[in-house]
């Protein structure tokens, strides 16, 4: 299995607590948050990851180098912010096979990657999305799901419990190749939302540990969800 990790975020909303680091390098339980993500990939048997980096990427490369726990690391560097889709398109040049997992570098999700891959293949879809149920969807926006297919996206601000996009995709590279190269592009807003009826993405449900460190309050909460010895606390959930 191979993954693209979107690690180029500016971390604007975290500047008050992490002023001098790219968001994936924000320390959580004494380690860069990206290390927790790479640990999960290594544990799941990944052998290669493309780190899509931008802001202060030198610090990420200096820390992790060319490999981490048996996972080969390759760097796709964007000179200017390209958005999620633009970063995926640029990283595609370093991807060796299809489909490829894509992960958000500011989100940790304990998901069964092998099962997600098998389900993706069995349903012969171009895109699978890991989804998790949370008690309050207002920060994220929620998903409309029918027969394990995503059929709609509800804007942020909706209240109550529901399923959300958990920030892990399995996507055929042909779909990524259709994204305009070298230009800012949102995978979610410019591809997934307008094409949901034809794409019919597969919703892969998981109840594993989920945490998004994008805002200060959740970043602080993440400190208590991980063990400083290097083991995620599997029995606790940040948003359930």
């Amino acid at each position: 299995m191979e993954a693209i990790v979107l690690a180029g975020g500016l971390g604007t909303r975290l500047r008050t607590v992490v002023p001098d680091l790219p968001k994936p390098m924000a320390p959580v339980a004494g380690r860069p948050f990206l290390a927790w993500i790479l640990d999960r990939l290594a544990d799941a048997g990944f052998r290669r990851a493309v780190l899509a980096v931008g802001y202060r990427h030198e610090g990420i490369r200096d820390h992790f180098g060319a490999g981490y726990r048996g996972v080969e690391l390759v760097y796709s560097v964007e000179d200017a912010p390209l958005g999620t889709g633009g970063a995926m398109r640029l990283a595609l040049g370093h991807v060796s096979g299809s489909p490829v997992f894509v992960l958000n570098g500011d989100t940790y999700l304990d998901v069964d990657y092998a099962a997600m891959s098998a389900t993706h293949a069995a349903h012969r879809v171009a895109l699978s999305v890991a989804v998790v149920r949370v008690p309050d969807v207002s920060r994220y926006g929620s998903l409309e799901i029918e027969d394990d297919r995503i059929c709609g996206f509800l804007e942020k601000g909706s209240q109550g419990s529901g399923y959300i996009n958990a920030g892990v995709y399995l996507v055929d590279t042909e779909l990524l190749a259709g994204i305009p190269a070298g230009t800012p592009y949102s995978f979610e807003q410019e591809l997934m939302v307008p094409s949901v009826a034809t794409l019919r993405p597969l919703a892969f449900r998981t109840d594993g540990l989920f945490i998004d460190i994008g805002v200060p309050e959740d970043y602080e909460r993440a400190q208590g969800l991980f063990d400083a010895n290097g083991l995620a606390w599997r029995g606790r959930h940040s948003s359930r």
Side-chain angles (χ1 to χ4, degrees):
M1 294 188 291
E2 189 173 19
I4 297 171
V5 182
L6 302 177
L10 299 176
T12 305
R13 292 175 295 178
L14 286 182
R15 290 286 170 80
T16 57
V17 290
V18 186
D20 300 319
L21 293 171
K23 187 162 45 173
M25 293 299 289
V28 172
R31 310 170 70 223
F33 187 68
L34 181 57
W36 297 106
I37 295 174
L38 294 178
D39 275 340
R40 185 69 193 92
L41 295 182
D43 291 343
F46 282 78
R47 290 293 174 259
R48 195 166 189 270
V50 181
L51 302 185
V53 295
Y55 175 70
R56 297 200 173 186
H57 62 87
E58 300 87 354
I60 298 176
R61 189 192 296 266
D62 289 347
H63 184 91
F64 291 101
Y68 181 88
R69 289 189 53 202
V71 181
E72 178 191 2
L73 300 181
V74 180
Y75 295 83
S76 172
V77 182
E78 53 188 79
D79 296 325
L82 292 175
T84 52
M88 291 179 196
R89 180 64 178 84
L90 183 63
L92 187 59
H94 301 281
V95 171
S96 61
S98 181
V100 62
F101 280 95
V102 181
L103 291 70
N104 286 327
D106 58 358
T107 302
Y108 180 97
L109 179 67
D110 189 4
V111 61
D112 188 335
Y113 289 101
M116 186 171 175
S117 181
T119 304
H120 179 91
H123 285 81
R124 299 182 180 181
V125 292
L127 174 65
S128 294
V129 181
V131 303
V132 65
R133 191 172 186 87
V134 298
D136 183 7
V137 301
S138 59
R139 175 183 159 193
Y140 306 97
S142 61
L143 304 174
E144 294 180 332
I145 300 174
E146 293 181 2
D147 298 324
D148 293 326
R149 297 299 183 100
I150 298 173
C151 57
F153 298 86
L154 301 179
E155 294 292 331
K156 296 178 182 180
S158 301
Q159 301 294 319
S161 65
Y163 279 99
I164 65 166
N165 177 351
V168 173
Y169 307 119
L170 184 55
V171 54
D172 288 2
T173 55
E174 290 183 2
L175 186 61
L176 297 183
I179 295 174
T183 184
Y185 189 93
S186 170
F187 183 74
E188 296 79 10
Q189 296 301 318
E190 295 183 74
L191 194 153
M192 288 176 64
V193 171
S195 302
V196 66
T198 53
L199 267 181
R200 301 186 70 236
L202 184 70
F204 185 81
R205 291 177 172 88
T206 179
D207 60 358
L209 175 68
F210 168 78
I211 181 70
D212 176 350
I213 64 164
V215 295
E217 53 268 31
D218 283 340
Y219 171 66
E220 292 301 326
R221 186 161 66 248
Q223 307 299 328
L225 290 173
F226 293 88
D227 185 334
N229 294 320
L231 299 173
W233 290 3
R234 303 299 188 195
R236 299 175 60 187
H237 300 261
S238 65
S239 54
R240 289 175 61 80

